[in-house]
Amino acid sequence: MSDISLRLLPWTSPEGKPCYLSTDHPGGRLSRLADEVEAELVECGEAVLSGARAVLADAGAGETALRFALTRTTESLRDVLRVAECRERAGDVAR
């Protein structure tokens, strides 16, 4: 039996389908790239959350600002949930 596992990557194909990495080397080039992308997505999510909180705290924020903040927040939530799924699957493989 092979020790190679499939890792769910934090990005999708141009068609929106999940991308997987078949590897038996978690420290490989693409694995490190995926780790970096996951870290960037989480960092971006933190920045978006901070911005959304600022918009919500501004009683004078208009519809455009609120819609923009909500749009960026939903995008970031999608990305961070993808990272969580990637890491959960990686944990399942490691068990």
Side-chain angles (χ1 to χ4, degrees):
M1 182 163 41
S2 174
D3 288 339
I4 297 175
S5 61
L6 294 178
R7 175 182 178 174
L8 177 64
L9 297 172
W11 54 80
T12 59
S13 73
E15 296 81 26
K17 295 182 180 182
C19 292
Y20 295 90
L21 175 62
S22 175
T23 182
D24 58 355
H25 192 278
R29 184 175 176 190
L30 282 177
S31 290
R32 288 192 317 270
L33 175 61
D35 292 342
E36 291 170 12
V37 169
E38 287 177 359
E40 288 174 11
L41 290 172
V42 171
E43 185 177 319
C44 182
E46 291 170 345
V48 168
L49 178 59
S50 176
R53 284 180 173 154
V55 170
L56 290 174
D58 180 1
E63 180 184 347
T64 302
L66 290 169
R67 290 184 64 78
F68 180 81
L70 183 56
T71 300
R72 299 292 83 79
T73 302
T74 56
E75 291 168 350
S76 291
L77 178 58
R78 177 204 59 216
D79 293 343
V80 171
L81 288 174
R82 176 95 179 166
V83 170
E85 181 181 4
C86 293
R87 292 181 180 178
E88 178 181 3
R89 287 188 182 203
D92 287 345
V93 170
R95 290 180 197 154

